[in-house]
Amino acid sequence: MAFFGNIFTAEIIARIFYNADKKVRQEIINDQDILETNERDRISALCTRIRDKVSSNPFIRSVSVQAHARDTTQRDALFVFRYGNEIKIGLVEAKLLRIRNSKLNKSWDWEISKTDKNSHFTKQVINQQNWLNQAAVWEMFIPNCPIGIHTPPFEKYGSSNIWADETYKSSKISNPSELWTYQDVLDLKEEYLSLYDIIKAIMKCQKGIVHDVTGKSEIIIQNDNGTPMNIPIPRNNVDYFRRIRDFLSESKNIESYNYYRLDDVFESVKDYKEIKELFIPSGVRNKRSFNDESLSEYLGIVNDSFEVVKNDI
């Protein structure tokens, strides 16, 4: 059973990420939430919260490094999904939308600079298009409105997502001096995708491409303008954080680096159809996050995923 492109493992990974995303959304809509009062229009803390939730699952090894306490030019986070010697890359621009109790014609966007009066977000969307041949690229809107408000088009329980090539089709892109309002976001798509939809499409190879990294400690991808990005991908932890921080220092338009090793997910379910039991690698048993509660939660995700795809695997 291959990993990337496999519908069973894609379903499992997508559900794990979506469960984390829903918990983050619950924190965002909390009036007393610290993310609202301290992070302002920062999104880096959200990437950290999602990492923490995903890391509580002992079958995924993950690393998250925040680079800068500022906004970025093109993307807030770079996601690296790895199984063995194969990698898929995701690039996301995330926006926390303070739409609750706001007028819908109010702008949440801003001008690039005092001398450049064009839309900051429109520039980000345009720049994103240069990476579509190398990675899965999307926008993530996290609205602070209560569950059920502005739904649809917003995804009801978690973040509301749209692929970057869809955003690019907006009429706003041809008018770069116009700032984006909340209504523009509501009008952008009839029904936004959940993070479940996004991750599942990446894992099933419907978005992004698989990169072979056999024998490599970094992967070099290049955008349509010829600009390279040298992404560190060491298989061990020796000097790992220093290399990532050096990479982020050189790539000042990336705010957060998120790396996910999915080997243990594959190992745990590769024979599931035949034996209906999880295989638990010894490395998983030795993790601090491995306990009866985490195992029960993971087994529930696996069982639910299997019921969805059992007739197709």
Side-chain angles (χ1 to χ4, degrees):
M1 182 172 74
F3 187 83
F4 291 118
N6 181 274
I7 58 174
F8 187 25
T9 50
E11 186 76 25
I12 293 171
I13 300 299
R15 286 170 181 261
I16 291 171
F17 273 77
Y18 184 47
N19 287 346
D21 187 49
K22 288 188 290 185
K23 291 178 181 178
V24 171
R25 173 75 185 281
Q26 287 294 331
E27 294 175 351
I28 286 296
I29 64 178
N30 183 347
D31 288 336
Q32 306 302 318
D33 181 42
I34 194 170
L35 294 181
E36 288 269 352
T37 58
N38 291 350
E39 286 297 328
R40 307 296 293 175
D41 54 345
R42 300 270 39 79
I43 212 72
S44 58
L46 297 178
C47 293
T48 301
R49 293 293 179 97
I50 290 177
R51 187 281 311 269
D52 290 343
K53 300 296 185 184
V54 171
S55 292
S56 67
N57 184 296
F59 292 86
I60 296 181
R61 284 171 276 179
S62 66
V63 173
S64 181
V65 178
Q66 181 181 343
H68 322 285
R70 55 166 176 75
D71 195 26
T72 57
T73 304
Q74 298 177 43
R75 48 200 168 265
D76 282 310
L78 180 147
F79 291 88
V80 180
F81 302 95
R82 180 170 192 162
Y83 170 72
N85 291 315
E86 293 185 334
I87 272 178
K88 298 206 71 177
I89 296 171
L91 297 171
V92 58
E93 175 61 42
K95 298 296 183 188
L96 175 58
L97 295 181
R98 290 185 171 79
I99 192 172
R100 180 176 54 200
N101 299 326
S102 293
K103 294 181 178 180
L104 296 183
N105 62 357
K106 179 181 178 180
S107 173
W108 52 267
D109 193 10
W110 59 92
E111 296 173 344
I112 293 174
S113 68
K114 292 181 179 179
T115 56
D116 188 341
K117 302 299 183 180
N118 288 329
S119 159
H120 179 80
F121 182 58
T122 292
K123 181 180 180 180
Q124 290 177 315
V125 174
I126 292 173
N127 288 338
Q128 282 179 323
Q129 309 309 303
N130 294 321
W131 294 99
L132 296 184
N133 292 324
Q134 295 291 319
V137 189
W138 76 98
E139 268 74 58
M140 173 190 286
F141 295 110
I142 303 102
N144 70 347
C145 54
I147 300 298
I149 302 299
H150 302 303
T151 302
F154 286 156
E155 205 280 324
K156 187 173 183 179
Y157 298 107
S159 60
S160 295
N161 300 269
I162 180 173
W163 298 111
D165 56 343
E166 291 185 81
T167 314
Y168 187 71
K169 297 175 183 177
S170 169
S171 60
K172 300 287 290 188
I173 303 301
S174 59
N175 297 286
S177 63
E178 293 185 9
L179 301 183
W180 288 69
T181 67
Y182 295 118
Q183 188 64 56
D184 291 327
V185 178
L186 293 173
D187 293 341
L188 183 59
K189 191 173 178 66
E190 290 186 4
E191 188 170 352
Y192 279 89
L193 301 173
S194 66
L195 190 60
Y196 164 86
D197 298 319
I198 294 289
I199 299 299
K200 188 173 180 178
I202 295 173
M203 294 296 106
K204 289 179 67 177
C205 293
Q206 295 171 335
K207 286 288 185 176
I209 65 172
V210 176
H211 299 272
D212 189 318
V213 294
T214 303
K216 299 177 181 179
S217 62
E218 68 178 14
I219 177 175
I220 302 175
I221 64 174
Q222 184 170 288
N223 70 10
D224 293 345
N225 292 330
T227 302
M229 186 188 301
N230 302 341
I231 305 170
I233 50 166
R235 287 194 64 89
N236 57 58
N237 292 327
V238 177
D239 217 16
Y240 191 93
F241 281 97
R242 181 194 62 80
R243 291 192 59 199
I244 295 177
R245 289 192 177 99
D246 287 348
F247 161 72
L248 291 169
S249 177
E250 296 167 359
S251 307
K252 295 186 182 300
N253 52 3
I254 301 174
E255 185 169 315
S256 181
Y257 180 102
N258 302 270
Y259 179 94
Y260 304 99
R261 280 279 299 280
L262 308 174
D263 306 58
D264 294 330
V265 171
F266 177 82
E267 287 297 313
S268 69
V269 299
K270 63 181 180 181
D271 299 319
Y272 194 80
K273 184 177 182 179
E274 288 73 28
I275 64 177
K276 302 299 188 300
E277 293 181 3
L278 294 179
F279 170 73
I280 306 175
S282 59
V284 171
R285 291 186 183 276
N286 295 330
K287 288 184 178 181
R288 285 181 295 179
S289 57
F290 182 74
N291 51 49
D292 290 342
E293 182 179 356
S294 66
L295 180 60
S296 177
E297 181 179 349
Y298 181 66
L299 180 59
I301 292 172
V302 171
N303 285 335
D304 290 344
S305 299
F306 183 72
E307 287 301 311
V308 171
V309 304
K310 64 181 179 182
N311 295 326
D312 298 314
I313 60 174

